[in-house]
Amino acid sequence: FTFTSVGVGEDDKPVITGNFDFHGVTKSISFPATVEISDTAVTLKTEFSINRGDFNIKYPGKTDDLIRDEVVIRLDLAAAPK
């Protein structure tokens, strides 16, 4: 994931946009996130879904298969200055 911008979405929640490279395919994606900034760290928490077919991951599945087209991505990141 390569960060490109931050905007404001619904409920004034930050929306992160960037280029997501997955399985050899790069697409621009946006997702809402909770971002907290303090003197000692920046934290980001989010949960969103991508469609695996958009990234050329094709598996037809079987009846009642647990493999879904939507893949949930959860992030809980913290960064501190050096």
Side-chain angles (χ1 to χ4, degrees), residues 8-44:
V8 178
E10 296 179 22
D11 301 328
D12 294 328
K13 195 171 195 177
V15 174
I16 310 296
T17 299
N19 297 319
F20 187 61
D21 184 15
F22 187 56
H23 202 251
V25 176
T26 302
K27 292 197 172 280
S28 178
I29 63 169
S30 297
F31 52 87
T34 300
V35 178
E36 295 181 11
I37 302 171
S38 72
D39 292 339
T40 58
V42 174
T43 61
L44 179 144

Side-chain angles (χ1 to χ4, degrees), residues 2-77:
T2 304
F3 168 85
T4 58
S5 68
V6 174
V8 178
E10 296 179 22
D11 301 328
D12 294 328
K13 195 171 195 177
V15 174
I16 310 296
T17 299
N19 297 319
F20 187 61
D21 184 15
F22 187 56
H23 202 251
V25 176
T26 302
K27 292 197 172 280
S28 178
I29 63 169
S30 297
F31 52 87
T34 300
V35 178
E36 295 181 11
I37 302 171
S38 72
D39 292 339
T40 58
V42 174
T43 61
L44 179 144
K45 293 182 182 184
T46 188
E47 180 176 317
F48 62 96
S49 298
I50 61 168
N51 185 309
R52 64 184 173 88
D54 293 343
F55 294 89
N56 290 332
I57 299 174
K58 300 188 187 327
Y59 174 74
K62 299 175 186 171
T63 304
D64 298 327
D65 200 345
L66 295 177
I67 298 175
R68 304 211 182 346
D69 290 338
E70 295 296 316
V71 177
V72 175
I73 297 177
R74 291 184 191 116
L75 297 174
D76 188 352
L77 304 173

